[in-house]
Amino acid sequence: MKRLTTVVIGMGRMGKMRYEKLKRHGGFQITGVCDEKPENLQGYPEPGYVDWEECLARCDPEVVFVCTVNAAIPAVVCRALSLGKHVFSEKPPGRDLADAEAMRREGERHPECVLKFGFNHRYHNCVIEAKALIQSGLIGDVVCARGVYGKAGSPTFAEEWRNDIRLSGGGILLDQGIHMLDLLRYFLGEFDRIMGRSVDTLVWKQLPTEDSAFAILKTQDGKLASLHSNALQWRHKFDLDIICTQGYIALNGLITSTNSYGEEKMTYYKKDLNARSGALGKPLEHTMCFDQDQSWEHEHQEFYEAVVSGTPIRNGTAQDAVRVMELVERIYGNTGRGPAL
Amino acid sequence: MLRAYDYTEYTKGRSEIQDAKRFNEELWLAKTAVDRVLQLDTDGPARCPGCGSSHIVPFFVKWGAAYLMCDDCASVFTEVGDAALEAYRQDEALTRFRSSPEYQGEATQKRMQSWQETLDWIRFRCFRHLGRHEDLTAVTGGDRYTGFTELMRASPLCRSYRPIWEQEPDGTADIAVSLDLIQQSNCPERELMEIGRCLAPGGLLFLSARLGTGFDVLVLREHAPIYPYGYVSLLSQRGLEAVLARTGFEILDLTTPGHMDVGYVHSRRALIPAQDLFVRNLIFNSDPIVLGEFQRFLQKSGMSSYAHIVAKKVADK
């Protein structure tokens, strides 16, 4: 297995997690780690850097994993691409659409480099199965979807950097709701209209960022989706209903490192108006329940294959990043809570 | 391997897959055939047909045939030699009964919905693992019901659907179907080798099997709706995994979607052993909602007595 020299820039929670997964993959030889907080570098055998430019210059890696705060992502990604490095960047792709577009342009200037963004949810088992079921045509065409992605908040929620709008660019919609937006695009296609939206700070009143974002979106061919991204669910919650012409899919829960989003399940049934499979209104229902999260492994493997074998990136392309940031920005509009502030 | 449970919630009459009178008639013919072949040959495998272990303990006796349990993987099986098993399979009265238009017609009428679900399952998983679910070359280890064969042949899934003994040349089939077959064999390994021979590398095996570790089997033992030699090898999940690995298959999906365990035990509740206090309390005193929830628990926990497996052929053995 070819081993790619790799540095991880940003060793907060996501950087540490990526580091562990990359070590386990075997195809990435980590030659340096970087974080502006020296305490985040303790305990790692690789050389540690507090300056990301020095890290890139000294390590001269083939691959750069960018796991910094949102505000730093564009500069690191663009610099790494300009140096001819392959780049994997955490989501969100910067603080705003301009950041995402800048990274896409830099990527286009360096077509020899792979650029991928971490829209990791596409690799969860429930999402993989739902996508296959829809593509199989067995339950017809998607017509609409409802997505709810909620966080519990925490005693220190207000102090988190994610709620510092200078570093994050936005609140819960940009931080977590972006995953649900990406999935809605993945299942329904491109949205060209925002039919309704409300971005609010309903409970965490002291925050400049939103704790709740509702949106209704419509594709050009008339598919509808609703989204509620929030930090006031008071528990972790992931629910996505997908209604098709011949059936229905519900994704409930996600396996994560904290095991706090509940059991990851995909439930589906076929339309049965003649009640052949069950009572009318209660057709035969299948539930697949998953006990493993292989999403990180799948995501890293796709990136690895793209670098080593030149296979195209399927998920988390620069185009995906720009399109989803367009939606984020349009949902924020002039509410004063997102990047349009 | 994807370990998922396929929880299927039924709300009406799903257990009526056979008229009681016809079921009893079939049972009587089977018992008559067993009585006859028991005299012939009882030399069977000395080892567990699943994991191969020789640590075997007695489990129960039914119609004079001893059922054993593997102490290592918990598979359940009865010892029967090839000659006796073949004589049972060729029993004229039983064969004539099962191939009669009445028997086949009733099966088509009562099982079509579940066959359609099986077909949907195969199509969905073909698309998931092969990226296509139409125009595939398919083989079967043998179908008891002509209605199911006709359904498969009429489906866009299959370009062809032939029994394995008609498939030529070897190693060319996209998918192989083995529904409720290996439980009838005294050597599941041989059956799986035979069906695997037809599959192309990377081809998919769709396997369903009655499990020996199912709730109804473990509770009811000889009173469970299993009998010699319709049910010879009731492997456990571990036993199935072992025999599939030995025959060159990698399991992709394993679910236990059986939905009849609790119904079987409930309908035979007077036969639950007196010392099974918990089970007796559960079955005698619970309302249908609790029993339904318990069935769901069995499915989810791999304790239902019916397994669905999708496995990929990874090597020639």
Side-chain angles (χ1 to χ4, degrees):
Chain A
M1 182 184 228
K2 180 174 168 53
R3 301 196 77 203
L4 303 167
T5 54
T6 301
V7 296
V8 181
I9 312 274
M11 289 296 287
R13 193 171 71 83
M14 293 312 297
K16 288 183 167 72
M17 200 275 295
R18 294 275 182 198
Y19 174 96
E20 294 299 329
K21 301 290 183 186
L22 292 172
K23 284 268 184 179
R24 217 167 296 159
H25 181 279
F28 299 93
Q29 182 189 351
I30 297 178
T31 56
V33 291
C34 174
D35 199 286
E36 64 181 10
K37 295 177 181 168
E39 63 269 26
N40 279 348
L41 301 173
Q42 287 175 6
Y44 293 96
E46 295 83 5
Y49 301 87
V50 291
D51 181 324
W52 61 266
E53 290 189 276
E54 184 188 358
C55 177
L56 291 182
R58 287 188 178 245
C59 297
D60 191 23
E62 294 167 284
V63 166
V64 179
F65 270 71
V66 183
C67 306
T68 64
V69 296
N70 306 350
I73 284 175
V76 181
V77 168
C78 290
R79 178 72 178 137
L81 289 169
S82 73
L83 293 171
K85 314 301 182 194
H86 303 289
V87 177
F88 183 103
S89 173
E90 265 299 335
K91 63 81 204 168
R95 287 180 299 178
D96 54 26
L97 178 58
D99 282 351
E101 284 180 330
M103 289 186 279
R104 178 176 65 178
R105 282 195 300 274
E106 193 63 30
E108 287 168 353
R109 277 195 282 273
H110 300 279
E112 75 283 7
C113 298
V114 173
L115 172 60
K116 178 175 168 68
F117 290 92
F119 292 105
N120 158 276
H121 286 35
R122 293 191 185 196
Y123 302 94
H124 271 268
N125 279 319
C126 69
V127 173
I128 292 170
E129 295 295 342
K131 187 71 174 174
L133 182 57
I134 290 168
Q135 288 181 323
S136 75
L138 289 168
I139 56 169
D141 299 320
V142 177
V143 290
C144 61
R146 296 182 293 260
V148 175
Y149 210 168
K151 259 190 169 174
S154 73
T156 57
F157 182 67
E159 289 81 54
E160 290 180 10
W161 70 262
R162 288 177 174 79
N163 290 311
D164 180 342
I165 202 161
R166 292 164 306 161
L167 294 177
S168 64
I172 192 68
L173 173 65
L174 184 62
D175 179 45
Q176 190 185 56
I178 195 169
H179 278 303
M180 188 60 86
L181 274 176
D182 178 62
L183 292 180
L184 292 171
R185 282 185 64 242
Y186 190 48
F187 287 118
L188 277 72
E190 294 299 348
F191 297 102
D192 66 344
R193 276 167 288 175
I194 309 293
M195 309 299 291
R197 63 189 169 83
S198 187
V199 181
D200 303 284
T201 306
L202 297 175
V203 175
W204 302 88
K205 296 287 189 186
Q206 73 276 37
L207 295 180
T209 51
E210 81 284 357
D211 59 17
S212 170
F214 283 91
I216 297 177
L217 309 97
K218 197 169 192 177
T219 65
Q220 196 165 26
D221 60 353
K223 298 187 184 93
L224 272 166
S226 72
L227 164 76
H228 185 208
S229 167
N230 74 84
L232 39 79
Q233 191 78 44
W234 313 131
R235 61 154 292 170
H236 290 166
K237 183 181 185 68
F238 175 89
D239 287 336
L240 174 57
D241 294 344
I242 304 169
I243 298 172
C244 302
T245 53
Q246 301 297 326
Y248 163 90
I249 299 174
L251 309 185
N252 302 112
L254 275 184
I255 299 183
T256 64
S257 56
T258 57
N259 276 326
S260 54
Y261 283 86
E263 197 172 39
E264 183 172 322
K265 294 188 289 189
M266 180 186 84
T267 298
Y268 66 96
Y269 52 77
K270 288 179 78 173
K271 183 168 78 177
D272 181 18
L273 300 185
N274 293 316
R276 290 196 184 94
S277 66
L280 182 61
K282 195 168 173 49
L284 168 69
E285 194 173 276
H286 297 268
T287 298
M288 300 175 79
C289 182
F290 309 99
D291 61 2
Q292 296 167 46
D293 173 17
Q294 297 146 325
S295 59
W296 309 99
E297 288 78 5
H298 291 322
E299 187 176 38
H300 289 167
Q301 181 60 21
E302 183 187 313
F303 178 69
Y304 177 82
E305 286 172 8
V307 172
V308 170
S309 310
T311 52
I313 293 292
R314 298 185 300 276
N315 302 302
T317 63
Q319 182 71 0
D320 287 329
V322 167
R323 285 294 167 85
V324 79
M325 288 301 275
E326 281 173 357
L327 289 175
V328 168
E329 202 147 296
R330 290 175 66 189
I331 293 170
Y332 278 132
N334 59 358
T335 58
R337 289 190 174 77
L341 179 63
Chain B
M1 175 174 71
L2 177 65
R3 286 181 186 276
Y5 77 91
D6 188 341
Y7 171 55
T8 52
E9 188 170 329
Y10 298 99
T11 53
K12 66 174 188 184
R14 297 282 309 190
S15 58
E16 296 164 4
I17 54 175
Q18 196 172 26
D19 172 74
K21 182 169 169 289
R22 204 179 306 276
F23 175 73
N24 289 332
E25 196 177 346
E26 184 174 7
L27 217 54
W28 182 80
L29 288 170
K31 185 173 184 312
T32 306
V34 169
D35 287 344
R36 192 164 51 79
V37 304
L38 266 177
Q39 318 300 321
L40 288 180
D41 169 15
T42 54
D43 292 335
R47 291 175 176 275
C48 168
C51 70
S53 168
S54 57
H55 300 135
I56 307 299
V57 294
F59 189 33
F60 61 82
V61 176
K62 184 159 187 173
W63 299 353
Y67 277 83
L68 311 169
M69 180 180 275
C70 173
D71 219 11
D72 288 326
C73 77
S75 292
V76 175
F77 61 100
T78 181
E79 291 187 292
V80 56
D82 290 342
L85 196 55
E86 190 57 24
Y88 173 82
R89 286 173 179 166
Q90 298 297 331
D91 182 83
E92 197 182 333
L94 194 55
T95 306
R96 193 169 54 240
F97 177 79
R98 286 175 172 165
S99 58
S100 68
E102 295 77 20
Y103 183 92
Q104 293 293 331
E106 182 197 49
T108 299
Q109 185 197 346
K110 296 201 170 189
R111 296 174 189 252
M112 183 53 79
Q113 181 64 34
S114 71
W115 292 343
Q116 190 65 54
E117 287 157 18
T118 301
L119 176 58
D120 282 349
W121 168 62
I122 294 172
R123 293 190 70 204
F124 175 27
R125 303 324 286 167
C126 277
F127 192 86
R128 170 73 179 85
H129 295 300
L130 296 177
R132 58 203 179 101
H133 59 9
E134 289 184 357
D135 205 29
L136 301 176
T137 304
V139 294
T140 172
D143 298 334
R144 173 170 291 184
Y145 304 108
T146 54
F148 181 76
T149 306
E150 287 163 12
L151 181 70
M152 289 292 283
R153 287 190 171 148
S155 161
L157 173 74
C158 300
R159 181 192 317 147
S160 61
Y161 182 71
R162 285 195 286 257
I164 53 173
W165 51 91
E166 289 180 11
Q167 170 70 9
E168 292 291 343
D170 287 352
T172 57
D174 299 309
I175 64 169
V177 176
S178 173
L179 303 180
D180 303 328
L181 283 177
I182 64 167
Q183 65 216 27
Q184 299 174 42
S185 171
N186 60 353
C187 185
E189 183 167 342
R190 189 173 57 211
E191 306 292 328
L192 290 171
M193 291 280 277
E194 194 65 15
I195 204 160
R197 183 179 55 78
C198 300
L199 272 176
L204 297 182
L205 167 67
F206 290 87
L207 177 77
S208 71
R210 199 78 151 82
L211 296 179
T213 40
F215 177 68
D216 64 320
V217 176
L218 293 181
V219 170
L220 293 171
R221 302 182 177 212
E222 67 270 30
H223 304 300
I226 56 173
Y227 52 85
Y229 293 113
Y231 301 87
V232 177
S233 299
L234 299 162
L235 304 186
S236 63
Q237 267 194 47
R238 278 170 53 205
L240 265 175
E241 288 171 16
V243 77
L244 282 162
R246 285 203 305 276
T247 49
F249 288 101
E250 175 194 348
I251 299 178
L252 302 175
D253 303 350
L254 194 160
T255 61
T256 54
H259 56 92
M260 295 164 79
D261 307 65
V262 172
Y264 283 144
V265 174
H266 191 264
S267 65
R268 295 163 173 80
R269 55 192 178 276
L271 301 169
I272 300 171
Q275 67 271 27
D276 284 353
L277 299 178
F278 176 81
V279 175
R280 288 182 70 86
N281 182 46
L282 173 78
I283 296 296
F284 277 91
N285 298 322
S286 300
D287 62 29
I289 292 173
V290 171
L291 292 178
E293 195 58 36
F294 185 64
Q295 182 65 47
R296 176 181 176 158
F297 167 78
L298 295 176
Q299 291 177 319
K300 182 179 172 182
S301 312
M303 295 184 194
S304 160
S305 61
Y306 190 59
H308 269 178
I309 286 177
V310 184
K312 182 173 71 174
K313 184 183 175 186
V314 291
D316 286 318
K317 291 260 176 170

